[in-house]
Coordinates of all heavy atoms in Angstrom, one line a residue:
M8 N 110.5 116.7 109.7 CA 109.6 117.2 110.8 C 108.2 116.6 110.5 O 107.5 116.2 111.5 CB 109.6 118.7 110.7 CG 108.8 119.4 111.8 SD 109.5 119.0 113.5 CE 108.2 119.6 114.5
I9 N 107.7 116.6 109.3 CA 106.4 116.1 109.0 C 106.3 114.6 109.3 O 105.3 114.2 109.8 CB 106.1 116.4 107.5 CG1 105.7 117.9 107.3 CG2 104.9 115.5 107.0 CD1 105.7 118.4 105.9
K10 N 107.4 113.9 109.1 CA 107.4 112.5 109.4 C 107.2 112.2 110.9 O 106.5 111.3 111.3 CB 108.8 111.9 109.0 CG 108.8 111.4 107.5 CD 110.1 110.7 107.3 CE 110.2 110.3 105.8 NZ 111.5 109.7 105.5
I11 N 107.8 113.1 111.7 CA 107.6 112.9 113.1 C 106.1 113.2 113.5 O 105.5 112.4 114.3 CB 108.6 113.9 113.9 CG1 110.0 113.5 113.7 CG2 108.2 113.9 115.4 CD1 111.0 114.5 114.0
L12 N 105.5 114.2 112.9 CA 104.1 114.5 113.2 C 103.2 113.3 112.8 O 102.3 113.0 113.5 CB 103.7 115.8 112.4 CG 104.2 117.1 113.1 CD1 103.9 118.3 112.2 CD2 103.5 117.3 114.4
M13 N 103.6 112.8 111.6 CA 102.8 111.6 111.1 C 102.9 110.4 112.1 O 101.9 109.8 112.4 CB 103.3 111.2 109.7 CG 102.9 112.1 108.6 SD 101.2 112.0 108.2 CE 101.2 110.6 107.1
L14 N 104.1 110.2 112.6 CA 104.3 109.1 113.6 C 103.5 109.3 114.8 O 102.9 108.4 115.3 CB 105.8 109.0 113.9 CG 106.6 108.2 112.9 CD1 108.1 108.3 113.3 CD2 106.2 106.7 113.0
I15 N 103.5 110.6 115.3 CA 102.7 110.9 116.5 C 101.2 110.7 116.3 O 100.5 110.1 117.1 CB 103.0 112.4 117.0 CG1 104.5 112.5 117.5 CG2 102.0 112.8 118.0 CD1 104.9 113.9 117.6
L16 N 100.8 111.1 115.1 CA 99.4 111.0 114.7 C 99.0 109.5 114.6 O 98.0 109.1 115.2 CB 99.1 111.7 113.4 CG 97.7 111.9 113.0 CD1 97.1 113.1 113.9 CD2 97.5 112.3 111.5
L17 N 99.9 108.7 114.0 CA 99.7 107.3 113.9 C 99.6 106.6 115.3 O 98.8 105.8 115.6 CB 100.8 106.6 113.1 CG 100.5 106.6 111.5 CD1 101.8 106.1 110.8 CD2 99.4 105.7 111.2
G18 N 100.5 107.1 116.1 CA 100.5 106.6 117.5 C 99.2 106.9 118.2 O 98.7 106.0 118.9
F19 N 98.7 108.1 118.0 CA 97.4 108.4 118.6 C 96.3 107.6 118.1 O 95.4 107.1 118.9 CB 97.1 109.9 118.4 CG 97.5 110.8 119.5 CD1 98.6 111.7 119.3 CD2 96.9 110.7 120.8 CE1 99.0 112.5 120.4 CE2 97.3 111.5 121.8 CZ 98.4 112.4 121.6
V20 N 96.3 107.4 116.8 CA 95.2 106.6 116.2 C 95.3 105.1 116.7 O 94.3 104.5 117.0 CB 95.3 106.7 114.6 CG1 94.4 105.6 113.9 CG2 95.0 108.1 114.1
G21 N 96.5 104.6 116.7 CA 96.7 103.3 117.2 C 96.3 103.1 118.6 O 95.6 102.2 119.0
Y22 N 96.6 104.1 119.4 CA 96.2 104.1 120.8 C 94.7 104.1 121.0 O 94.1 103.3 121.8 CB 96.9 105.3 121.5 CG 96.6 105.4 123.0 CD1 97.2 104.5 123.9 CD2 95.6 106.3 123.5 CE1 96.9 104.6 125.3 CE2 95.4 106.4 124.9 CZ 96.0 105.5 125.7 OH 95.8 105.6 127.1
A23 N 94.1 105.0 120.2 CA 92.6 105.1 120.3 C 91.9 103.8 119.8 O 90.9 103.4 120.4 CB 92.1 106.2 119.4
M24 N 92.5 103.1 118.8 CA 92.0 101.8 118.4 C 92.1 100.8 119.4 O 91.2 100.0 119.7 CB 92.7 101.4 117.1 CG 92.1 102.1 115.8 SD 93.1 101.7 114.4 CE 92.5 100.0 114.0
I25 N 93.3 100.7 120.1 CA 93.5 99.7 121.1 C 92.5 100.0 122.3 O 91.9 99.1 122.8 CB 94.9 99.8 121.6 CG1 95.8 99.2 120.5 CG2 95.1 99.0 122.9 CD1 97.3 99.6 120.7
Q26 N 92.3 101.3 122.6 CA 91.4 101.6 123.7 C 90.0 101.1 123.3 O 89.3 100.6 124.2 CB 91.4 103.2 123.9 CG 92.6 103.7 124.6 CD 92.5 103.5 126.1 OE1 91.6 103.9 126.8 NE2 93.5 102.8 126.7
G27 N 89.6 101.4 122.1 CA 88.3 101.0 121.6 C 88.1 99.5 121.7 O 87.0 99.0 121.9
M28 N 89.2 98.7 121.5 CA 89.1 97.3 121.5 C 89.0 96.7 122.9 O 88.4 95.7 123.2 CB 90.3 96.7 120.8 CG 90.3 96.8 119.3 SD 91.9 96.5 118.5 CE 91.7 94.8 118.1
I29 N 89.7 97.5 123.8 CA 89.7 97.0 125.2 C 88.4 97.3 125.9 O 87.9 96.5 126.7 CB 90.9 97.6 126.0 CG1 92.2 97.0 125.4 CG2 90.8 97.4 127.5 CD1 93.5 97.7 125.8
R30 N 87.8 98.5 125.7 CA 86.7 98.9 126.5 C 85.5 98.0 126.4 O 84.9 97.7 127.5 CB 86.3 100.3 126.2 CG 87.1 101.3 127.1 CD 86.7 102.7 126.8 NE 87.7 103.6 127.4 CZ 87.9 104.8 127.0 NH1 87.3 105.3 126.0 NH2 88.8 105.6 127.6
P31 N 85.1 97.5 125.2 CA 83.9 96.6 125.2 C 84.0 95.4 126.0 O 83.1 94.9 126.5 CB 83.7 96.3 123.7 CG 84.4 97.4 123.0 CD 85.6 97.8 123.9
K32 N 85.3 94.9 126.1 CA 85.6 93.7 126.9 C 85.3 94.0 128.4 O 84.7 93.1 129.1 CB 87.0 93.2 126.7 CG 87.2 92.4 125.4 CD 88.6 91.9 125.4 CE 88.9 91.2 124.0 NZ 90.3 90.9 123.9
E33 N 85.7 95.1 128.8 CA 85.5 95.5 130.2 C 84.0 95.6 130.5 O 83.5 95.1 131.5 CB 86.1 96.8 130.5 CG 87.6 96.7 130.7 CD 88.3 98.1 130.9 OE1 87.6 99.1 130.8 OE2 89.5 98.1 131.0
K34 N 83.2 96.1 129.5 CA 81.7 96.2 129.7 C 81.1 94.8 129.8 O 80.2 94.6 130.6 CB 81.1 97.0 128.5 CG 81.1 98.5 128.8 CD 80.3 99.2 127.7 CE 80.4 100.7 128.0 NZ 79.8 101.4 126.8
R35 N 81.6 93.9 129.0 CA 81.0 92.5 129.0 C 81.3 91.9 130.3 O 80.6 91.0 130.8 CB 81.6 91.7 127.8 CG 80.6 91.5 126.7 CD 81.3 90.7 125.6 NE 81.9 91.6 124.6 CZ 83.0 91.3 123.9 NH1 83.6 90.2 124.1 NH2 83.5 92.1 123.0
G36 N 82.4 92.3 131.0 CA 82.8 91.7 132.3 C 81.9 92.2 133.4 O 82.0 91.6 134.5
D37 N 81.2 93.2 133.2 CA 80.3 93.8 134.2 C 79.1 92.7 134.4 O 78.3 92.5 133.6 CB 79.7 95.1 133.7 CG 79.0 95.9 134.8 OD1 78.9 95.3 136.0 OD2 78.6 97.0 134.6
K38 N 79.1 92.2 135.6 CA 78.3 91.0 135.8 C 76.8 91.4 136.2 O 75.9 90.6 135.9 CB 78.8 90.2 137.0 CG 79.9 89.3 136.6 CD 80.5 88.5 137.7 CE 81.8 87.8 137.3 NZ 82.5 87.2 138.5
M39 N 76.6 92.6 136.7 CA 75.2 92.9 137.2 C 74.7 94.2 136.6 O 74.4 95.2 137.3 CB 75.1 93.0 138.7 CG 75.6 91.6 139.3 SD 75.3 91.6 141.1 CE 73.6 91.1 141.1
P40 N 74.5 94.3 135.2 CA 74.0 95.5 134.7 C 72.6 95.8 135.0 O 72.1 96.9 135.0 CB 74.2 95.3 133.1 CG 74.3 93.8 133.0 CD 74.8 93.3 134.2
R41 N 71.8 94.7 135.4 CA 70.4 94.8 135.7 C 70.2 95.6 137.0 O 69.1 96.1 137.2 CB 69.7 93.4 135.8 CG 69.3 92.9 134.4 CD 68.3 91.8 134.5 NE 68.8 90.8 135.6 CZ 67.9 90.1 136.2 NH1 66.7 90.1 136.0 NH2 68.4 89.2 137.1
N42 N 71.2 95.6 137.8 CA 71.0 96.3 139.1 C 71.3 97.8 139.0 O 71.3 98.5 140.0 CB 72.0 95.7 140.1 CG 71.4 94.4 140.8 OD1 70.3 94.0 140.3 ND2 72.0 93.9 141.8
R43 N 71.5 98.3 137.8 CA 71.7 99.7 137.6 C 70.6 100.3 136.8 O 70.3 99.8 135.7 CB 73.0 100.0 137.0 CG 74.2 99.3 137.7 CD 75.2 100.4 138.2 NE 76.0 99.9 139.3 CZ 76.4 100.6 140.3 NH1 76.1 101.9 140.3 NH2 77.1 100.1 141.2
S44 N 70.0 101.4 137.2 CA 69.1 102.1 136.3 C 69.8 102.9 135.3 O 71.0 102.9 135.3 CB 68.2 103.0 137.2 OG 69.0 104.0 137.8
R45 N 69.0 103.5 134.4 CA 69.6 104.2 133.3 C 70.6 105.3 133.7 O 71.6 105.5 133.1 CB 68.5 104.8 132.4 CG 68.3 104.0 131.1 CD 67.0 104.5 130.5 NE 65.9 103.7 131.0 CZ 64.7 104.3 131.2 NH1 64.5 105.5 130.9 NH2 63.7 103.5 131.6
D46 N 70.3 106.0 134.8 CA 71.3 107.1 135.2 C 72.3 106.6 136.1 O 73.0 107.3 136.7 CB 70.5 108.3 135.8 CG 69.5 107.8 136.9 OD1 69.2 106.6 136.9 OD2 69.2 108.6 137.8
G47 N 72.5 105.3 136.2 CA 73.6 104.7 137.0 C 73.3 104.5 138.5 O 74.2 104.1 139.2
E48 N 72.1 104.8 138.9 CA 71.8 104.7 140.3 C 71.6 103.2 140.7 O 71.0 102.5 139.9 CB 70.5 105.5 140.7 CG 70.3 105.6 142.2 CD 69.1 106.5 142.5 OE1 68.3 106.8 141.7 OE2 69.0 106.9 143.7
Q49 N 72.0 102.8 141.9 CA 71.9 101.4 142.3 C 70.4 101.1 142.5 O 69.7 101.8 143.1 CB 72.7 101.2 143.5 CG 73.0 99.7 143.7 CD 73.6 99.4 145.1 OE1 74.2 100.3 145.7 NE2 73.5 98.2 145.5
M50 N 70.1 99.9 142.0 CA 68.7 99.4 142.2 C 68.7 98.4 143.4 O 69.6 97.6 143.5 CB 68.2 98.7 141.0 CG 68.1 99.6 139.8 SD 66.9 101.0 139.9 CE 65.4 100.1 139.5
V51 N 67.7 98.4 144.2 CA 67.6 97.5 145.3 C 66.3 96.7 145.3 O 65.3 97.3 144.8 CB 67.8 98.2 146.7 CG1 69.2 98.6 146.9 CG2 66.8 99.4 146.8
E52 N 66.3 95.5 145.8 CA 65.0 94.7 145.7 C 64.3 94.8 147.0 O 64.8 94.7 148.1 CB 65.4 93.3 145.4 CG 64.1 92.5 145.2 CD 64.4 91.0 144.9 OE1 65.6 90.6 144.9 OE2 63.4 90.3 144.6
D53 N 63.0 95.1 146.9 CA 62.1 95.1 148.1 C 61.8 93.6 148.4 O 61.3 92.9 147.7 CB 60.8 95.8 147.6 CG 59.8 95.9 148.7 OD1 59.8 95.0 149.6 OD2 58.9 96.8 148.7
P54 N 62.3 93.2 149.7 CA 62.1 91.8 150.0 C 60.7 91.4 150.3 O 60.3 90.2 150.3 CB 63.0 91.7 151.3 CG 63.1 93.0 151.9 CD 63.0 94.0 150.7
Q55 N 59.8 92.4 150.5 CA 58.4 92.1 150.8 C 57.6 91.8 149.5 O 57.0 90.8 149.4 CB 57.8 93.3 151.5 CG 56.3 93.2 151.8 CD 56.1 92.0 152.8 OE1 56.9 91.6 153.6 NE2 54.9 91.4 152.7
C56 N 57.7 92.7 148.5 CA 57.0 92.4 147.2 C 57.8 92.1 146.0 O 57.3 91.8 145.0 CB 56.1 93.7 147.0 SG 57.0 95.1 146.5
G57 N 59.2 92.2 146.2 CA 60.0 91.8 145.1 C 60.3 92.8 144.0 O 60.9 92.6 143.0
T58 N 59.8 94.1 144.2 CA 60.0 95.2 143.3 C 61.4 95.7 143.4 O 61.9 95.8 144.5 CB 58.9 96.3 143.6 OG1 57.7 95.7 143.6 CG2 59.0 97.4 142.5
F59 N 61.9 96.1 142.2 CA 63.2 96.8 142.2 C 63.0 98.3 142.2 O 62.2 98.8 141.4 CB 64.1 96.4 141.0 CG 64.8 95.1 141.2 CD1 64.2 93.9 140.9 CD2 66.0 95.1 141.8 CE1 64.8 92.7 141.1 CE2 66.7 93.9 142.0 CZ 66.1 92.7 141.6
I60 N 63.7 99.0 143.2 CA 63.5 100.5 143.3 C 64.9 101.1 143.3 O 65.8 100.5 143.8 CB 62.8 100.9 144.6 CG1 63.1 100.0 145.6 CG2 61.3 101.2 144.3 CD1 62.4 99.2 146.5
P61 N 65.0 102.3 142.8 CA 66.3 103.0 142.9 C 66.6 103.3 144.4 O 65.6 103.7 145.1 CB 66.1 104.4 142.2 CG 64.9 104.2 141.3 CD 64.0 103.1 142.0
I62 N 67.8 103.1 144.8 CA 68.1 103.2 146.2 C 67.8 104.5 146.8 O 67.4 104.6 148.0 CB 69.6 102.8 146.5 CG1 69.8 102.4 148.0 CG2 70.6 103.9 146.0 CD1 71.0 101.6 148.2
G63 N 67.8 105.6 146.0 CA 67.4 106.9 146.5 C 65.9 107.1 146.8 O 65.6 107.9 147.6
D64 N 65.1 106.2 146.2 CA 63.6 106.3 146.4 C 63.2 105.3 147.5 O 62.0 105.3 147.9 CB 62.9 106.1 145.1 CG 63.1 107.1 144.1 OD1 63.6 108.2 144.5 OD2 62.9 106.9 142.9
A65 N 64.1 104.4 147.9 CA 63.7 103.3 148.8 C 63.5 103.7 150.2 O 64.2 104.7 150.6 CB 64.7 102.2 148.7
K66 N 62.6 103.1 150.9 CA 62.5 103.3 152.4 C 63.4 102.2 153.0 O 63.1 101.0 152.9 CB 61.0 103.1 152.8 CG 60.0 103.8 152.0 CD 59.9 105.2 152.5 CE 58.9 106.0 151.7 NZ 59.4 106.4 150.3
S67 N 64.4 102.7 153.7 CA 65.4 101.8 154.3 C 65.1 101.5 155.8 O 64.6 102.4 156.5 CB 66.8 102.4 154.2 OG 67.1 102.6 152.8
A68 N 65.4 100.3 156.2 CA 65.2 100.0 157.6 C 66.2 98.8 158.0 O 66.5 98.0 157.1 CB 63.8 99.5 157.9
N69 N 66.6 98.9 159.2 CA 67.5 97.8 159.7 C 66.7 96.8 160.5 O 66.2 97.1 161.6 CB 68.6 98.4 160.6 CG 69.8 97.5 160.8 OD1 69.6 96.3 161.1 ND2 70.9 98.0 160.5
I70 N 66.5 95.6 159.9 CA 65.6 94.6 160.5 C 66.5 93.4 160.7 O 67.1 92.8 159.8 CB 64.4 94.3 159.6 CG1 63.6 95.5 159.5 CG2 63.6 93.1 160.2 CD1 62.6 95.5 158.3
G71 N 66.6 92.9 162.0 CA 67.4 91.7 162.3 C 68.8 91.9 162.0 O 69.5 90.9 161.6
G72 N 69.3 93.1 162.1 CA 70.8 93.4 161.9 C 71.1 93.5 160.4 O 72.3 93.7 160.1
Q73 N 70.1 93.5 159.5 CA 70.4 93.6 158.1 C 69.6 94.8 157.6 O 68.5 95.1 157.9 CB 69.9 92.4 157.4 CG 71.1 91.5 157.0 CD 70.7 90.5 156.0 OE1 69.7 89.8 156.1 NE2 71.5 90.4 154.9
Q74 N 70.3 95.5 156.6 CA 69.7 96.7 156.0 C 68.8 96.2 154.9 O 69.2 95.5 154.0 CB 70.8 97.6 155.5 CG 70.3 99.0 155.1 CD 70.0 99.9 156.4 OE1 70.3 99.6 157.5 NE2 69.2 101.0 156.1
H75 N 67.5 96.6 154.9 CA 66.6 96.3 153.9 C 66.0 97.5 153.3 O 65.9 98.6 153.9 CB 65.4 95.4 154.4 CG 65.9 94.1 154.9 ND1 66.3 93.1 154.0 CD2 66.1 93.5 156.1 CE1 66.6 92.0 154.7 NE2 66.5 92.2 156.0
H76 N 65.6 97.4 152.0 CA 65.1 98.6 151.3 C 63.7 98.2 150.7 O 63.5 97.2 150.1 CB 66.0 99.0 150.1 CG 67.4 99.2 150.6 ND1 67.8 100.4 151.2 CD2 68.5 98.4 150.6 CE1 69.1 100.3 151.5 NE2 69.5 99.1 151.2
F77 N 62.7 99.1 151.0 CA 61.3 98.9 150.6 C 60.8 99.9 149.6 O 61.3 101.1 149.7 CB 60.5 98.8 151.8 CG 60.9 97.7 152.8 CD1 61.8 98.0 153.8 CD2 60.5 96.4 152.7 CE1 62.2 97.0 154.7 CE2 60.9 95.4 153.5 CZ 61.8 95.7 154.5
C78 N 59.8 99.5 148.8 CA 59.2 100.5 147.8 C 58.3 101.4 148.6 O 58.1 102.5 148.1 CB 58.5 99.7 146.7 SG 57.0 98.8 147.3
S79 N 57.7 101.0 149.7 CA 56.8 101.9 150.4 C 56.8 101.6 151.9 O 57.3 100.5 152.3 CB 55.4 101.6 149.9 OG 55.0 100.3 150.2
K80 N 56.2 102.5 152.7 CA 56.2 102.3 154.1 C 55.3 101.0 154.5 O 55.5 100.4 155.4 CB 55.6 103.5 154.8 CG 56.6 104.6 155.0 CD 56.0 105.8 155.8 CE 57.1 106.8 156.0 NZ 56.5 108.0 156.6
K81 N 54.3 100.8 153.6 CA 53.4 99.7 153.8 C 54.2 98.4 153.8 O 54.0 97.5 154.6 CB 52.3 99.7 152.7 CG 51.2 98.7 152.9 CD 50.2 98.8 151.7 CE 49.4 97.6 151.6 NZ 49.8 96.8 150.4
C82 N 55.1 98.2 152.8 CA 55.9 97.0 152.6 C 56.8 96.9 153.8 O 57.0 95.8 154.4 CB 56.7 97.0 151.4 SG 55.7 96.6 149.9
L83 N 57.4 98.0 154.2 CA 58.3 98.0 155.4 C 57.6 97.5 156.6 O 58.1 96.6 157.3 CB 58.8 99.4 155.6 CG 60.0 99.7 156.5 CD1 60.6 101.1 156.3 CD2 59.8 99.5 158.0
K84 N 56.4 98.0 156.9 CA 55.6 97.6 158.0 C 55.3 96.1 158.0 O 55.4 95.4 159.0 CB 54.3 98.4 158.1 CG 54.4 99.7 158.9 CD 53.0 100.3 159.1 CE 53.1 101.7 159.7 NZ 51.8 102.3 159.7
E85 N 54.8 95.6 156.8 CA 54.4 94.2 156.7 C 55.6 93.3 156.8 O 55.5 92.3 157.5 CB 53.8 94.0 155.3 CG 52.3 94.5 155.2 CD 51.7 94.4 153.8 OE1 52.3 93.8 152.9 OE2 50.7 95.0 153.6
Y86 N 56.8 93.7 156.3 CA 58.0 92.9 156.4 C 58.4 92.9 157.9 O 58.8 91.8 158.4 CB 59.1 93.5 155.6 CG 60.3 92.6 155.5 CD1 60.4 91.6 154.5 CD2 61.4 92.8 156.3 CE1 61.5 90.7 154.4 CE2 62.5 92.0 156.2 CZ 62.5 90.9 155.3 OH 63.6 90.1 155.2
K87 N 58.3 94.0 158.6 CA 58.7 94.0 160.0 C 57.8 93.1 160.8 O 58.3 92.4 161.7 CB 58.6 95.5 160.5 CG 59.9 96.2 160.6 CD 59.7 97.5 161.3 CE 61.0 98.3 161.5 NZ 60.8 99.6 162.1
K88 N 56.5 93.1 160.5 CA 55.6 92.3 161.2 C 55.9 90.8 161.0 O 55.8 90.0 162.0 CB 54.2 92.5 160.7 CG 53.2 93.3 161.6 CD 51.8 93.3 161.1 CE 51.2 94.7 161.0 NZ 49.9 94.7 160.2
A89 N 56.3 90.4 159.8 CA 56.5 89.0 159.5 C 57.9 88.6 160.0 O 58.1 87.4 160.1 CB 56.5 88.9 158.0
H90 N 58.8 89.5 160.4 CA 60.2 89.1 160.8 C 60.5 89.6 162.2 O 61.6 90.1 162.4 CB 61.2 89.6 159.8 CG 61.1 89.0 158.4 ND1 60.2 89.3 157.5 CD2 61.8 87.9 157.9 CE1 60.3 88.5 156.4 NE2 61.3 87.7 156.7
K91 N 59.6 89.5 163.1 CA 59.8 89.9 164.5 C 60.5 88.8 165.3 O 60.2 87.6 165.0 CB 58.5 90.4 165.1 CG 58.5 91.9 165.2 CD 57.3 92.4 165.9 CE 57.3 93.9 165.9 NZ 56.1 94.4 166.5
Ligands
LIG891 ZN1 57.1 96.7 148.1

C-alpha cells in the first residue's frame, strides 16, 4: 500500500516538474509583453503623441473607419484635425 502511495507521489512530483519546464517556454513565446501593463491591462499607442496608455484610460474615437486611442481629448482633437 505504501509503495502505491509513493508511486502516486512520484507521479505528482514528476508532473509538477514537467509543468515547470513547459511553462517558461510558453512565456518566452509571448511576443508582445511590452503591450501589457503590470496588471495585465492592454496598452494602446496614442497616434498623435506616441504615448502608451492603458486602454481603460484612453479616449477612443473612430477616425477614417479605424479605432484610435488617445491619451487626452487634446490629442484626439489635433489628430482629427490632421486627418480630415
Ligand atoms: Zn497624446
Side-chain angles (χ1 to χ4, degrees):
M8 188 61 191
I9 285 167
K10 272 189 184 173
I11 293 163
L12 282 172
M13 287 286 279
L14 274 173
I15 292 167
L16 197 73
L17 274 171
F19 266 112
V20 171
Y22 181 75
M24 278 174 78
I25 288 161
Q26 286 281 301
M28 284 163 97
I29 289 167
R30 271 182 194 157
K32 277 186 188 170
E33 283 175 358
K34 271 187 184 172
R35 254 179 268 148
D37 193 355
K38 280 175 188 172
M39 300 187 86
R41 276 198 313 156
N42 276 6
R43 305 241 158 214
S44 63
R45 259 168 268 142
D46 53 337
E48 194 174 10
Q49 199 192 336
M50 301 293 280
V51 285
E52 189 179 4
D53 180 332
Q55 181 62 27
C56 66
T58 307
F59 278 90
I60 37 235
I62 198 157
D64 296 340
K66 310 275 179 286
S67 301
N69 199 310
I70 299 159
Q73 260 198 309
Q74 194 73 16
H75 292 288
H76 305 280
F77 302 91
C78 67
S79 65
K80 278 184 180 174
K81 189 178 158 255
C82 281
L83 198 162
K84 272 188 187 174
E85 281 174 15
Y86 189 84
K87 261 190 178 175
K88 253 191 230 170
H90 292 81
K91 258 185 180 175

